[in-house]
Each structure stands twice: as C-alpha cells, then as structure tokens.
Amino acid sequence: MKYTEELAVFLEVARRGSFAQAARALNLPTTTISRKVQLLEQELDVKLFQRTTRALTLTEAGARLLPRAQSVLETIAELKAEAELHLEKPVGVLNLTMPTSLAQGLAPLFAEFLLAYPNLRMHFHCNNRNLDLTTHRIDFAFRLGPLHDSCLIALPLARIRHLLVGQTQFVAARTPPAHPSEIAHWPCVRSHVDGLLGPWRFVENGNFFDVYPENPVLSDDLLLSRRLVLQGVGLGYLPLGLVQKHLARGMLVSLHEDWLPPGRELFLVYTDKQYLPFKSRVFLSFIKEKQAHIRKLLGDAEAD
C-alpha cells in the first residue's frame, strides 16, 4: 500500500520525539527518516512536526493524523496476519450449486470436507437450473454433460446412469413390456428441468431411441419423482444413485437394463481463473482425491 512506510516512520518519530532516535530504532539513516516525513507532508500538503532547536512536537495536523495512521497500520497488520492464516488453514465461504438430488447423494462427501476444514463454510444453491457462476458468485458447480459453456474448466467425476424402475407390486400386477417402447402406454412419472422434459433414452443394436410416455405425471424434483414411483404411481426413469438402495431392499424393480445407455458424465465446473483462492484450491484437491468415492456414492459401476 502506498505511503505505508512513510506512515510507519511518522509514528516512530512521533513516539520518540526525535528524528535521530527514530532512525536508530528503525535502523535507517536520519536522512531517510527526514525524507520520508517530508514526502508524507508533501502528499498531505500539511506540516506534521514543529521543529525547534530544543524540541520536536506534533503540529495540529500531525496530532490529527497520529491515531488515524495507527489505525491504518494496525488494519494492514491484521490483513497480513489473515493472509498468512489462509496459507495454513483455508477460511471463508465456498458457494456451490448442483441439482437437489445430487446434493443428497454427495452430502456425506461435503460433511467430510467440512469436518476436515472447520474454518470453511459452504453455501449450497440446490436447484435444477444452471446458474451463471459469475453473476451468482458461485465457486463450483456440479453439472451433467454435455456441457455447453466452453469458458468453464470441467473436471469429470462420474458417469450417472439412469434406470427404468417401478414399485415391485406395481410392476408385478402388469404384463411385463416386451420392448421399451411399450412403456409409453404405462402410468409414468416424468421429470423436467425448467419445463424441458428429459428423454427416456434406450439403445437397440447400437442405435439410440427415445420413448415418450403418454400423459405422465410431471415433476421438476427427482426426489419427489422417486417418492411417487415408490408409492406405485407409475414407472420412473431415475439415476441409479437415487434408487440403488431401494432396488437392494426389493422396494423397486428395474426393467430393460440391457436396453439402457451407459449414462451421462458428471462434471465439477468452475471459472477459468489464473489465481484460484486458497479455499478453492483446497476444495478442488479434495474432490480430485475423492473421485473414486464419488463414483461409489453415485452408483457408477467404474467405482468397483
């Protein structure tokens, strides 16, 4: 900061009432001490000291400057101390955005991070919209590909596979569909993001095709969609990580798994900054270290 040294010299001269004593205390030549005080006086356009042959005293302007100079230097010292603390222990707030259902799956990971770095806090923005990172001051976003913003750095984390599932009794009461296209006539719960309906995609002989359920129940919340499917309202096309424990308990059954595509890639994205804050570097390092664990949490088969 400009004139920090001059303010420090001014304080030392004021304390000791002598240019010579201030020079000895600061281990500087007396001429340097005098020059720095003169530079400060020129910048402020005031006289700071009244010099006589017998004493050196503060002028009225110097007396007004004294407590302010002390406050400025103390503030700078505090900021330097905080900066040094940042280098040892990350502090501050990390703003993260992700779909609500994904936040549920990754909650154990976030808890582990917060316990490891108690001086950090997290603010979660959980919704199905792709928030602009700069406008909303977001540090990191978890997003499903394909990505469309080439200005963002993207770290691949896991592959999110979707399954066609239904409540066990609901499926047992009906004739099993011989082909995925037949489910278009079944009661279904379909999810959407901001009004955009995600396709129910399948693969046949290496070719993709989409199925569009007729008159489905619509939901923009995957957790609600899962609840409705568990209650027997209809079939759902849901992420494996969201339904795997219900499949293991026999509450849900999966249909036509051989017809399902490999899934969509999940990315951690962030803005291309030349100098990431220390808190962000720590979080990024943590996520890279936990990639295998993330795949396991989200039901990615590559985690095995």
Side-chain angles (χ1 to χ4, degrees):
M1 183 177 293
K2 196 174 183 182
Y3 300 113
T4 301
E5 292 185 9
E6 286 74 14
L7 286 173
V9 167
F10 163 74
L11 282 177
E12 197 64 33
V13 173
R15 287 195 196 104
R16 299 182 181 275
S18 167
F19 279 80
Q21 290 184 33
R24 285 193 291 271
L26 296 173
N27 196 27
L28 293 172
T30 304
T31 53
T32 300
I33 298 296
S34 178
R35 185 171 65 251
K36 287 187 177 295
V37 170
Q38 289 175 5
L39 182 62
L40 193 58
E41 288 178 328
Q42 291 172 5
E43 176 65 21
L44 299 175
D45 196 23
V46 294
K47 194 172 183 64
L48 299 174
F49 292 101
Q50 186 67 45
R51 302 167 180 85
T52 68
T53 55
R54 301 181 62 180
L56 182 71
T57 57
L58 287 167
T59 63
E60 183 180 348
R64 290 199 304 270
L65 176 62
L66 185 62
R68 298 176 185 178
Q70 182 67 44
S71 177
V72 168
L73 292 177
E74 287 177 353
T75 299
I76 292 172
E78 289 173 0
L79 290 172
K80 287 183 177 179
E82 288 182 10
E84 291 174 359
L85 178 63
H86 282 209
L87 295 177
E88 299 176 1
K89 297 179 181 179
V91 298
V93 177
L94 280 170
N95 285 282
L96 309 178
T97 182
M98 68 205 73
T100 303
S101 58
L102 186 62
Q104 295 280 332
L106 294 179
L109 186 79
F110 299 138
E112 181 180 349
F113 179 79
L114 289 169
L115 290 172
Y117 299 99
N119 293 319
L120 273 175
R121 290 177 293 147
M122 284 183 169
H123 289 178
F124 296 98
H125 305 265
C126 301
N127 53 64
N128 291 326
R129 295 181 294 115
N130 285 342
L131 299 179
D132 182 85
L133 272 60
T134 302
T135 303
H136 292 87
R137 298 183 179 179
I138 300 294
D139 296 297
F140 293 98
F142 291 83
R143 288 183 180 169
L144 287 172
L147 301 176
H148 304 291
D149 192 340
S150 60
C151 296
L152 298 176
I153 302 297
L155 173 68
L157 297 178
R159 187 166 289 278
I160 306 297
R161 187 184 179 203
H162 283 66
L163 295 181
L164 178 66
V165 296
Q167 184 204 47
T168 304
Q169 293 82 1
F170 172 86
V171 174
R174 290 165 172 76
T175 302
H179 188 273
S181 60
E182 296 178 17
I183 67 174
H185 309 295
W186 282 47
C188 293
V189 179
R190 197 172 179 195
S191 302
H192 69 90
V193 177
D194 286 346
L196 299 176
L197 290 168
W200 287 20
R201 182 153 292 177
F202 298 88
V203 179
E204 185 175 22
N205 299 323
N207 298 314
F208 292 101
F209 68 94
D210 295 335
V211 173
Y212 299 95
E214 300 174 0
N215 302 314
V217 174
L218 298 180
S219 166
D220 66 351
D221 187 334
L222 286 175
L223 297 178
L224 174 60
S225 296
R226 181 183 65 181
R227 172 54 57 190
L228 294 173
V229 172
L230 283 166
Q231 295 297 321
V233 172
L235 296 178
Y237 192 86
L238 298 169
L240 172 58
L242 207 60
V243 298
Q244 56 185 346
K245 68 178 182 181
H246 301 92
L247 291 167
R249 295 171 183 172
M251 301 166 66
L252 296 175
V253 294
S254 177
L255 302 173
H256 294 302
E257 286 194 25
D258 293 341
W259 297 72
L260 292 166
R264 297 168 64 187
E265 194 76 44
L266 173 69
F267 296 92
L268 177 71
V269 301
Y270 54 99
T271 54
D272 184 9
K273 297 179 180 177
Q274 186 175 3
Y275 300 105
L276 279 176
F278 184 50
K279 62 179 181 179
S280 297
R281 298 202 306 272
V282 168
F283 181 72
L284 190 57
S285 177
F286 176 84
I287 291 297
K288 289 179 178 178
E289 180 183 322
K290 296 292 183 178
Q291 281 181 282
H293 184 51
I294 291 172
R295 291 196 292 270
K296 185 176 181 180
L297 285 173
L298 300 179
D300 189 337
E302 293 182 7
D304 299 330

